[in-house]
């Protein structure tokens, strides 16, 4: 009966787990790592980016995002949308072509790969170097390394051999004197005549350009340029062709002129000295006034060969846009329903960011990007997530951010394709990132787009080597070329000591504390107006005069003694400087008590920021912790010490083995008897490996890993008192009882701290988390959370429990006696170690009124676990991060509602969810555009079919499907021969079959 009852409870619990927990990787925030190709569809208004890792990402209006991944681990070299369709073609560096489509499914679009193709033949001849998606939507022209142009029918990827353009056909139509001088080389460029789709221009590497008639299959004209060709551009009226070359020149050629051997105009914009190649050139007309001329490269090789520039010339306005990383590609967005109006925005993809420039506002300002923001404009050093931000604080942060964005264009975001069908976020969430240059960036993490809200800089508090008058955006008057710095990617820090290591924000009071690499802790408050003030500094000696230690690391930052003008936003009013100036490893804030606690590798301290006074200093340094005195910027671990520790472990294990062999025969029977008794009383536990207790002379045992404030029972079970808990790398937990003056005397009387408990874990594993559970087994609420009626008051009647999370196990102690009650071993079972922990609330997907608190755990194996509270039982386990991705595991941060973020590259966060109720993911729809050349002018379906052809839709009811029945779709050869695309849909519930194809 017990076994039957237990089985029923387990099955009920399993059902409940399915309603509470589900693992999903939902969306990638930030800028794609190592972008390699750019594409744009004017009809869909969608942007596509390909990467070196084989990913393809599509972006439209904010919230419209798609991602696909090629099976081949090869870089995407080109991306081309099929005109007026929802298909796009990618070319990889393994010479394979892939067709993708946005197909409708359950009212949403999804990006699917529907075909792949590779030209057959010798690699040197068939390697694709140029791709042209023909305006008919039916053809791809592929220029190759051997000089041939292959014509391929899409979407079926059928090579039309009779329409191919061979090198021999081209050579026969070119004067012999030109062919005799040089080989034509590879096809560098393919462009279609904007006014005659039957004509294309083929540009060869050595400079020759040939206008070819696709219907007549002959060369109409040839343009014998003498310089190495980089790109071609056919003007919109079809009268001129622009070519750019490797010597930094560009030429204008008239089409259909009497003498095609002479260019109308040749210019080297930044000559007379040798210049770099102009890799791409575009000329676009305006309704009134001169055309826009844009080109990338062309800089003087000796003076500015290291610059990454795009030049924009419009009338007398000439600007060289100077980017901080290599240019991948660019395109121009135009006004009008047919996208043939004046140029409105220049979109530039560089290696580290996407920059969009408003071409219709004076000064050509930058348009702020709502997504694809470079998170790594300065390297990310830490992250902090805050859920459910009050509206008032949210609006104040937004207002502070608007002051910083005054230099941006007022124009709306120009890439507006697709429809965002995701529901509005149920709450306002903030993600704060600390950076190497001493900045903290605030991001709106409520939805799919990680939107920048506000940037805080802490460098102004200190003396640094940066020149305050250095403005990167202003060029020197009369400078040639006329440079203008654009983009926000600036990875170089003036001083690595400024790096932010820990962040803690109180969303109820608006107080923020940040800590850095050189032992600095700043206390900041939100101010809606700019203010000039002097920041008070308090030096805290964590060594407390201990002798025999000498700090070998970096020096502290010098604080500004004069008043500093701080802009509206978070403004510092107090600084605590730790001595030695080591990296701050733990930080917590209690805004109700007006206290902050901080820890380093030498100890921890408590600071009263209302009275601006130090309350407690505790040195945790072990006499053997000499490495803790070297600092992160000059740490060199002694190989002798490592070898010595290894040999000690080996010796200890050998001694223990020798002892086990003594009296084996006499002890065997006793051991068997004990084993039988234990098996009779308890269930068989999984095999556990022996974990050797760590030696107390291991390095960094005094490093403080976690700090925690709690109002709980320390002295007796009837009086609760404020307390501070600290956990160290050596498995030690300190508990201090705090005495806070009454509210009337809070500003006058000092806060005192008294050591109440000290716990040493037997296995000496680092303590990574401390939580106090109330009488109901729930975690204590955050400071001020109960005062704002956002959480119920903790149960102070029942007994409290202390949960100590070490790297190896979870252990629950009773309070105030601190006696062990239960534990859950992790390392002993599967060999993994805890790296990150966080508390979360999991709501049921079936009923709104049920939920559970759980402990989120990330291990060094990259697995995420959910542990139940207060019984510390493992609930679910999912693989999340590759175990080799050490930086990704170290960067992980959990949210209060069962989600998480971790860095998959220096510039991208992966977002994941463990909750069935709280999932943030793209839900969007892209419909095929209506095309003016359509025979039937009705709305097309969002199923990936081309709207350039009419639809034939068949719907017929087949009755209800019987269980076990199968449906077969027979496609005849006649349908295949007559059709370009076939889609089959069956709904067994409704009994409807939809067959849809596009026909000639």
């Amino acid at each position: 009966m017990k076994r039957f009852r237990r089985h029923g409870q387990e099955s009920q619990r399993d059902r409940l787990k399915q309603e509470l927990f589900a693992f999903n990787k939902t969306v990638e925030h930030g800028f794609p790592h190592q972008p390699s190709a750019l594409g744009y569809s004017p009809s869909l208004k969608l942007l596509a980016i390909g990467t070196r890792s084989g990913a393809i990402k599509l972006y439209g209006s904010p919230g419209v995002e798609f991602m696909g991944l090629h099976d081949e681990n090869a870089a995407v070299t080109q991306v081309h949308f099929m005109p007026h369709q929802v298909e796009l073609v990618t070319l990889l560096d393994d010479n394979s072509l892939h067709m993708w489509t946005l197909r409708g499914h359950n009212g949403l679009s999804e990006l699917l790969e529907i075909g792949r193709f590779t030209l057959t033949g010798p690699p040197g001849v068939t390697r694709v170097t140029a791709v042209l998606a023909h305006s008919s939507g039916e053809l791809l022209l592929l220029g190759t390394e051997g000089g041939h142009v292959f014509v391929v029918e899409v979407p079926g990827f059928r090579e039309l051999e009779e329409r191919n353009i061979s090198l021999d056909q081209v050579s026969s139509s070119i004067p012999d004197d030109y062919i005799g001088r040089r080989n034509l080389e590879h096809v560098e460029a393919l462009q279609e005549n904007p006014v005659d789709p039957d004509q294309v221009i083929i540009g060869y590497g050595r400079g020759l350009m040939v206008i070819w008639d696709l219907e007549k299959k002959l060369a109409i004209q040839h343009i014998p340029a003498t310089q190495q060709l980089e790109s071609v551009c056919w003007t919109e009226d079809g009268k001129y062709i622009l070519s750019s070359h490797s010597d930094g020149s560009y030429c204008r050629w008239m089409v259909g002129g009497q003498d095609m051997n002479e260019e109308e105009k040749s210019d080297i914009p930044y000559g007379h000295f040798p210049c770099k190649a102009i890799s791409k050139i575009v000329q676009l007309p305006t309704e009134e006034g001169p055309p826009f001329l844009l080109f990338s490269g062309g800089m003087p090789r000796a003076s500015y060969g290291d610059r990454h520039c795009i030049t924009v010339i419009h009338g007398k306005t000439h600007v060289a846009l100077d980017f901080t990383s290599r240019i991948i590609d660019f395109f121009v967005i135009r006004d009008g329903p047919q996208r043939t109006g004046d140029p409105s925005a220049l979109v530039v993809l560089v290696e580290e960011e996407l920059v969009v420039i408003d071409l219709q506002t004076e000064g050509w300002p930058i348009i702020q990007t709502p997504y694809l923001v470079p998170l790594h404009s300065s390297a990310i050093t830490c992250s902090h997530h805050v859920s459910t931000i009050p509206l008032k604080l949210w609006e104040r942060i937004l207002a502070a951010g608007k002051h910083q964005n005054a230099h941006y264009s007022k124009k709306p975001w120009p890439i507006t394709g697709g429809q965002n069908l995701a529901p509005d976020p149920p709450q306002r969430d903030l993600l704060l990132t600390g950076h190497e240059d001493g900045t903290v960036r605030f991001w709106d993490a409520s939805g799919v787009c990680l939107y920048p809200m506000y940037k805080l800089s802490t460098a102004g508090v200190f003396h640094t080597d940066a020149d305050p008058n250095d403005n990167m955006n202003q060029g020197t008057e009369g400078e040639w070329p006329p440079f203008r710095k654009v983009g926000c990617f600036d990875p170089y820090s003036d001083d690595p000591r400024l790096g932010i290591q820990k962040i803690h924000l109180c969303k109820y009071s608006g107080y923020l504390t940040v800590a850095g690499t050189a032992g600095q802790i700043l206390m900041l408050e939100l101010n809606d107006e700019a203010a000039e003030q002097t920041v008070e500094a308090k030096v805290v000696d964590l060594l407390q005069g201990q002798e025999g230690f000498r700090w070998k690391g970096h020096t502290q930052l010098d604080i500004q003694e004069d008043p500093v003008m701080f802009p509206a936003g978070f403004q510092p009013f107090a600084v605590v400087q730790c001595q030695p100036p080591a990296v701050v490893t733990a930080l917590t804030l209690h805004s109700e008590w007006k206290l902050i606690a901080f820890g380093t590798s030498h100890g921890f301290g408590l600071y009263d920021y209302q009275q601006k006074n130090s309350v407690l200093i505790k040195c945790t340094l072990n006499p053997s912790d000499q490495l803790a005195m070297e600092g992160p910027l000059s740490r060199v671990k002694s190989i002798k010490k490592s070898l010595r520790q290894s040999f000690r472990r080996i010796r200890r294990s050998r001694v223990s083995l020798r002892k086990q062999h003594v009296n084996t025969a006499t002890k065997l029977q006793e051991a068997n008897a004990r084993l039988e008794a234990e098996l009779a009383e308890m269930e068989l536990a999984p095999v556990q490996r022996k974990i050797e207790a760590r030696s107390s002379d291991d390095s960094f045992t005094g490093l403080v890993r976690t700090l925690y404030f709690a109002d709980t029972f320390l002295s007796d079970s009837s009086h609760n008192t404020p307390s501070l808990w600290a956990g160290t790398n050596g498995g030690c937990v300190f508990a201090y009882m705090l005495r806070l003056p009454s509210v009337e005397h809070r500003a006058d009387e000092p806060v005192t701290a008294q050591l109440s408990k000290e716990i040493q874990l037997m296995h000496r594993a680092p303590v990574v988390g401390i939580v106090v559970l109330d009488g109901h087994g729930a975690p204590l609420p955050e400071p001020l959370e109960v005062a704002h009626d956002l959480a119920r008051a903790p149960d102070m009647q029942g007994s409290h429990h202390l949960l100590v999370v070490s790297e190896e196990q979870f252990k629950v102690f009773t309070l105030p006696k601190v006696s062990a009650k239960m534990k859950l071993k992790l390392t002993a079972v599967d060999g993994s170690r805890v790296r990150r922990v966080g508390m979360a609330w999991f709501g049921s997907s079936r009923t709104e009124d049920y939920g559970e608190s759980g402990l989120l755990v990330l291990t060094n194996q990259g697995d995420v676990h959910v542990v139940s509270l207060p019984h510390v039982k493992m609930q679910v386990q999912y693989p999340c991060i590759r175990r080799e991705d050490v930086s990704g595991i170290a960067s992980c941060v959990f949210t209060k509602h069962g989600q998480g973020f971790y860095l998959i590259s220096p510039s991208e966060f992966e977002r994941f969810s463990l909750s069935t109720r709280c999932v943030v993911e793209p839900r969007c729809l892209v419909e095929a555009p209506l095309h003016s050349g359509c025979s039937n002018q009705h709305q097309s379906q969002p199923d990936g079919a081309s709207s350039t052809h009419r639809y034939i839709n068949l719907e017929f009811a087949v009755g209800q499907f019987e269980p076990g029945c199968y449906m077969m779709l027979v496609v005849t050869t006649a349908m295949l021969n007559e059709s370009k695309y076939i889609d089959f849909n069956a709904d067994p519930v409704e009994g409807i079959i939809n067959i849809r194809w596009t026909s000639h």
Side-chain angles (χ1 to χ4, degrees):
M1 287 297 295
K2 286 181 180 179
R3 188 179 303 156
F4 178 76
R5 189 182 302 121
R6 187 172 63 221
H7 177 72
Q9 292 172 350
E10 288 176 355
S11 60
Q12 183 179 355
R13 182 62 193 169
D14 289 339
R15 285 196 298 270
L16 196 55
K17 285 180 187 179
Q18 293 178 359
E19 296 170 6
L20 293 171
F21 313 116
F23 178 75
N24 290 290
K25 290 186 178 180
T26 54
V27 67
E28 294 177 2
H29 297 298
F31 184 77
H33 186 49
Q34 295 181 327
S36 54
L38 175 68
Y40 180 66
S41 171
S43 57
L44 294 176
K45 297 181 181 178
L46 289 181
L47 166 82
I49 295 177
T51 70
R52 289 189 211 168
S53 60
I56 177 76
K57 300 188 176 186
L58 273 60
Y59 301 91
S61 60
V64 176
E65 296 184 13
F66 302 94
M67 179 183 168
L69 190 63
H70 295 87
D71 293 335
E72 298 80 1
N73 188 18
V76 180
T77 56
Q78 295 187 45
V79 178
H80 299 273
F81 281 90
M82 299 305 295
H84 311 290
Q85 299 183 35
V86 288
E87 279 86 29
L88 68 153
V89 174
T90 55
L91 173 66
L92 306 189
D93 66 356
D94 65 357
N95 205 41
S96 62
L97 287 154
H98 301 255
M99 176 71 76
W100 298 80
T101 187
L102 289 166
R103 185 169 297 177
H105 179 68
N106 294 334
L108 301 174
S109 296
E110 55 185 4
L111 183 63
L112 298 173
E113 184 180 356
I114 58 172
R116 62 186 64 190
F117 173 72
T118 303
L119 283 174
T120 56
V125 177
T126 58
R127 182 162 189 82
V128 178
T129 55
V131 178
L132 171 62
H134 196 263
S135 60
S136 66
E138 300 177 358
L139 300 177
L140 278 180
L141 275 68
L142 308 175
T144 63
E145 204 170 78
H148 306 285
V149 176
F150 293 85
V151 181
V152 176
E153 190 179 49
V154 289
F157 280 129
R158 184 166 68 93
E159 184 183 339
L160 305 178
E161 295 184 10
E162 70 279 0
R163 302 187 69 173
N164 288 347
I165 307 167
S166 70
L167 195 58
D168 293 337
Q169 290 175 279
V170 174
S171 300
S172 63
S173 62
I174 305 303
D176 293 337
D177 60 336
Y178 190 90
I179 294 296
R181 287 203 313 268
R182 61 183 67 202
N183 180 21
L184 297 182
E185 284 196 354
H186 64 280
V187 177
E188 183 66 47
L190 287 168
Q191 283 282 320
E192 182 180 334
N193 188 338
V195 296
D196 186 356
D198 288 335
Q199 292 182 8
V200 295
I201 185 165
I202 308 169
Y204 292 93
R206 284 290 178 90
L208 175 72
M209 290 167 280
V210 175
I211 299 178
W212 187 268
D213 192 301
L214 294 173
E215 288 298 319
K216 298 176 182 176
K217 301 178 184 176
L218 54 83
I220 301 173
Q221 295 165 350
H222 73 279
I223 303 172
T226 56
Q227 291 293 332
Q228 187 85 14
L229 184 69
E230 293 290 329
S231 74
V232 297
C233 170
W234 211 320
T235 59
E236 194 174 76
D237 56 10
K239 295 180 179 179
Y240 295 96
I241 288 173
L242 273 68
S243 61
S244 66
H245 301 276
S246 60
D247 63 345
S249 67
Y250 71 89
C251 304
R252 188 194 309 271
W253 311 83
M254 182 178 288
V255 177
Q258 296 298 320
D259 187 5
M260 286 300 298
N261 294 328
E262 293 293 331
E263 70 264 21
E264 184 187 87
K265 179 186 177 185
S266 178
D267 188 16
I268 303 179
Y270 299 115
H272 305 281
F273 297 104
C275 295
K276 298 191 74 175
I278 294 179
S279 57
K280 182 175 180 178
I281 188 165
V282 174
Q283 180 177 302
L284 296 171
T286 57
E287 291 184 8
E288 300 175 3
F292 273 87
L293 180 67
L294 307 95
F295 58 86
S296 58
M299 287 291 121
R301 190 176 294 275
S303 306
Y304 303 108
D306 58 341
R307 299 287 185 103
H308 312 286
C309 294
I310 289 180
T311 299
V312 184
I313 302 172
H314 180 234
K316 295 182 179 179
T317 307
H318 184 138
V319 174
L321 302 171
D322 188 8
F323 298 88
T324 56
S325 57
R326 185 174 62 89
I327 296 167
I328 305 297
D329 202 354
F330 70 90
F331 62 85
V332 178
I333 298 176
R334 303 175 66 180
D335 284 340
Q338 301 299 322
R339 281 74 59 186
T340 56
D342 286 358
S344 61
L346 168 64
V347 181
V348 185
L349 176 67
V350 295
E351 208 160 34
E352 304 293 352
E353 61 184 318
L354 183 81
V355 181
V356 181
I357 295 163
D358 178 6
L359 295 177
Q360 294 184 341
T361 302
E362 187 177 357
W364 296 340
I366 291 176
I367 300 174
Q368 189 174 21
T369 54
Y371 46 74
L372 290 172
V373 184
L375 308 176
H376 64 316
S377 51
S378 174
I380 295 176
T381 49
C382 66
S383 305
H384 176 65
H385 188 275
V386 188
S387 300
T388 322
I389 303 293
L391 179 60
K392 185 176 181 181
L393 176 63
W394 188 266
E395 291 175 341
R396 292 178 71 190
I397 294 173
L398 275 176
K402 283 183 180 178
H403 291 300
Q404 300 176 338
N405 298 336
H407 62 286
Y408 284 115
S409 169
K410 301 297 187 290
K411 284 282 185 73
W413 182 244
I415 301 170
T416 57
Q419 305 171 45
N420 180 15
L421 302 180
D424 292 333
Q427 61 201 29
R428 293 171 293 274
D429 289 352
L430 268 180
L431 180 68
L432 284 71
T433 54
H435 297 264
E436 192 180 43
D437 61 354
T439 58
V440 178
R441 287 172 167 83
F442 290 64
W443 308 88
D444 178 358
S446 313
V448 171
C449 292
L450 196 64
Y451 186 77
M453 295 176 63
Y454 166 71
K455 183 175 81 170
L456 162 70
S457 177
T458 62
V461 181
F462 307 99
H463 290 287
T464 61
D465 298 331
D467 183 2
N469 298 317
D470 182 22
N471 191 341
M472 292 176 61
N473 289 328
Q474 300 300 325
T476 308
E477 189 70 28
E479 181 186 20
W480 187 260
F483 290 117
R484 175 189 150 199
K485 278 281 185 186
V486 288
C488 61
F489 177 70
D490 182 19
Y492 306 108
S493 173
D494 296 313
D495 194 330
R497 297 175 297 173
L498 288 169
I500 305 297
Q501 298 295 330
K502 295 291 175 183
I503 305 170
H504 196 121
L505 170 68
C506 175
K507 60 187 178 184
Y508 304 110
S509 63
Y511 282 110
L512 170 71
T513 178
V514 298
T517 302
Q520 72 272 24
I521 299 105
L522 282 78
M523 197 65 211
L524 308 100
E525 61 181 337
L526 191 55
N527 192 343
D528 299 329
E529 303 291 336
E532 187 179 35
Q533 57 192 37
T534 304
V535 182
E536 295 185 29
K538 176 72 175 178
V539 178
V540 173
D541 181 14
L542 291 175
L543 292 181
Q544 295 182 296
Q546 289 198 29
E547 297 182 358
F549 293 104
R550 186 171 62 87
W551 173 248
K552 303 173 186 177
H554 49 267
T555 59
Q556 70 179 55
L557 286 161
D558 296 323
I559 297 173
Q560 298 269 13
E561 297 175 356
D562 300 327
V564 179
M565 176 61 73
F566 295 104
F570 284 95
Q571 299 171 351
F573 63 89
V575 174
V576 178
Q577 179 61 59
C578 296
Q579 286 293 351
V583 173
V584 177
T585 56
L587 182 70
T588 190
L589 161 71
H590 201 296
S591 51
E592 192 172 359
W593 301 341
K594 303 290 192 297
L595 298 173
I596 56 171
F598 52 89
T600 72
S601 54
H602 307 121
F604 59 91
L606 183 64
Y607 179 77
D608 179 356
Y609 63 82
Q610 181 173 356
Q611 297 184 15
K612 297 182 180 177
N613 192 24
S614 181
V615 176
L616 164 70
I617 301 171
K618 170 67 176 177
C619 179
T620 57
L621 200 63
N622 191 289
S624 63
D625 279 358
Q626 288 298 330
L627 288 179
M629 302 306 293
E630 295 183 2
L633 304 181
S634 62
R635 186 180 303 153
V636 181
K637 192 169 183 179
S638 168
I639 191 168
K640 288 184 179 179
K641 187 163 187 177
S642 299
L643 289 170
R644 193 182 308 122
Q645 291 173 354
S646 301
F647 280 122
R648 282 177 183 169
R649 291 193 182 98
I650 293 170
R651 197 178 302 120
R652 279 198 296 267
S653 62
R654 284 178 177 172
V655 169
S656 61
L657 283 171
R658 256 198 307 273
K659 289 179 179 177
Q660 288 174 8
H661 285 297
V662 180
N663 297 328
T664 306
T666 57
K667 294 181 179 179
L668 188 58
Q669 293 178 348
E670 297 174 11
N672 285 336
R674 280 200 304 271
L675 183 61
E676 289 176 4
E678 289 172 1
L679 289 174
E681 294 177 3
M682 57 177 284
E683 295 179 3
L684 189 64
V687 177
Q688 294 187 354
R689 66 190 72 190
K690 179 175 170 57
I691 301 298
E692 188 177 289
R694 304 184 187 205
S695 170
S696 61
D697 63 353
D698 282 351
S699 298
F700 294 106
T701 56
L703 185 143
V704 179
R705 292 287 293 269
T706 184
L707 292 162
Y708 179 74
F709 285 113
D711 187 0
T712 186
F713 302 95
L714 268 184
S715 56
D716 56 66
S717 56
S718 56
H719 298 91
N720 57 298
T721 58
S723 62
L724 169 67
W725 300 77
T728 71
N729 220 35
C732 193
V733 178
F734 300 94
Y736 281 83
M737 189 185 301
L738 308 179
R739 193 195 71 82
L740 298 172
S742 60
V743 177
E744 298 81 13
H745 302 286
R746 179 65 181 84
D748 307 322
E749 297 182 11
V751 178
T752 59
Q754 178 184 355
L755 182 63
S756 178
K757 309 286 183 186
E758 185 173 342
I759 309 166
Q760 177 62 63
L761 300 179
M762 294 298 291
H763 57 296
R764 298 183 182 275
V767 178
V768 295
I770 297 173
V771 180
V772 172
L773 308 174
D774 68 6
H776 292 306
L780 297 183
E782 295 179 14
L784 295 175
E785 194 173 13
V786 176
H788 285 75
D789 295 327
L790 295 169
R792 65 187 180 112
D795 179 19
M796 308 302 283
Q797 303 300 321
S799 59
H800 284 197
H801 291 86
L802 171 70
L803 171 62
V804 177
V805 182
S806 75
E807 281 191 356
E808 297 178 2
Q809 65 182 24
F810 311 85
K811 199 163 188 177
V812 177
F813 299 88
T814 59
L815 287 177
K817 292 183 178 180
V818 193
S819 56
K821 184 176 181 181
M822 63 186 80
K823 65 182 175 182
L824 171 65
K825 293 181 179 181
L826 186 70
T827 308
V829 175
D830 60 9
S832 58
R833 297 183 184 277
V834 177
R835 286 289 178 258
R836 286 282 184 275
V837 291
M839 300 300 306
W841 173 259
F842 294 92
S844 170
S845 59
R846 192 169 65 90
T847 56
E848 287 286 331
D849 55 349
Y850 182 77
E852 294 180 5
S853 288
L855 188 71
L856 291 169
V857 179
L858 174 69
T859 71
N860 64 336
Q861 305 294 316
D863 297 334
V864 285
H865 304 253
V866 179
V867 177
S868 66
L869 294 175
H871 303 296
V872 289
K873 290 186 177 180
M874 196 70 70
Q875 299 299 300
V876 288
Q877 174 184 351
Y878 305 102
C880 180
I881 311 174
R882 292 182 301 107
R883 78 167 128 190
E884 299 84 14
D885 187 5
V886 178
S887 60
I889 293 172
S891 65
C892 184
V893 58
F894 293 118
T895 78
K896 299 291 184 184
H897 292 90
Q899 297 187 74
F901 300 81
Y902 69 93
L903 287 172
I904 53 174
S905 74
S907 59
E908 289 173 290
F909 273 114
E910 175 83 71
R911 186 177 193 141
F912 63 90
S913 174
L914 292 157
S915 169
T916 55
R917 186 187 291 182
C918 190
V919 180
V920 175
E921 60 184 351
R923 296 176 60 82
C924 35
L925 176 67
V926 175
E927 297 185 343
L930 288 172
H931 184 41
S932 58
C934 206
S935 58
N936 285 353
Q937 296 288 324
H938 61 269
Q939 180 67 36
S940 61
Q941 301 298 318
D943 60 359
S946 167
S947 62
T948 58
H949 306 298
R950 62 191 178 89
Y951 288 104
I952 301 175
N953 296 326
L954 301 180
E955 294 190 7
F956 51 93
V958 296
Q960 295 293 328
F961 281 85
E962 294 295 331
C965 267
Y966 291 89
M967 170 59 63
M968 179 185 295
L969 174 68
V970 180
V971 181
T972 68
T973 55
M975 290 172 66
L976 286 173
N977 291 337
E978 291 296 324
S979 303
K980 292 293 178 190
Y981 178 88
I982 293 178
D983 187 26
F984 167 69
N985 240 320
D987 189 337
V989 178
E990 298 295 331
I992 300 294
I993 295 180
N994 299 319
I995 304 174
R996 183 182 301 118
W997 69 87
T998 58
S999 168
H1000 291 302

